[in-house]
Amino acid sequence: MHELVADVFARGCTSRKTLESITGKWGVLALVALREGAYRFNALRRRVDGVSEKMLAQTLQTLERDGLVHREVLATIPARVEYTLTPLGTEISEQLFALVQLLEARVPQVAEAQATYDARPK
């Protein structure tokens, strides 16, 4: 049996599609939000401000397919659905959270760089 070797830089590698799912705007935000614990769909939608119902549903479905998110239907009346991170999702979300923290801490530097860039002669 051959060992699967991933190379995100190779056009046909499946890791590239997963990377796109994770690092898309809604993927990052959903994964980082789910670090906080289980969320029902509408609560997660409120937490990830600005995401449409359709985009969140698609994002969660993709992340579930990739093994990062677990969807559980709870036997209540009415039925409730909760989303949590899998162990792999937790590992990846921790890395994304570190990136988010770094970015938030550096917002003033980014704003300064943007202002400098925008002030350059066109």
Side-chain angles (χ1 to χ4, degrees):
M1 186 156 112
H2 291 33
E3 183 178 331
L4 182 63
V5 177
D7 179 3
V8 77
F9 292 102
R11 180 182 356 193
C13 185
T14 57
S15 65
R16 185 181 284 192
K17 187 68 177 158
T18 303
L19 180 67
E20 289 172 10
S21 299
I22 292 168
T23 59
K25 174 171 50 174
W26 305 124
V28 168
L29 295 174
L31 288 168
V32 172
L34 286 168
R35 279 184 69 258
E36 300 164 359
Y39 270 97
R40 290 174 62 186
F41 184 86
N42 285 325
L44 183 58
R45 187 167 170 227
R46 285 189 298 275
R47 180 70 175 110
V48 182
D49 190 28
V51 66
S52 70
E53 186 174 323
K54 178 182 176 184
M55 283 308 304
L56 183 57
Q58 288 176 355
T59 298
L60 290 169
Q61 186 176 37
T62 300
L63 295 174
E64 182 182 6
R65 182 176 183 268
D66 290 342
L68 306 178
V69 169
H70 175 72
R71 179 182 184 269
E72 183 173 1
V73 179
L74 303 171
T76 59
I77 299 174
R80 289 178 32 185
V81 177
E82 283 189 348
Y83 295 90
T84 56
L85 294 173
T86 64
L88 178 58
T90 299
E91 185 178 354
I92 290 171
S93 72
E94 291 298 325
Q95 299 296 315
L96 293 171
F97 182 62
L99 178 61
V100 167
Q101 286 182 305
L102 176 62
L103 176 61
E104 288 177 341
R106 299 295 187 253
V107 164
Q109 290 168 277
V110 171
E112 183 180 327
Q114 290 170 340
T116 300
Y117 180 90
D118 294 343
R120 292 188 334 202
K122 306 292 185 238

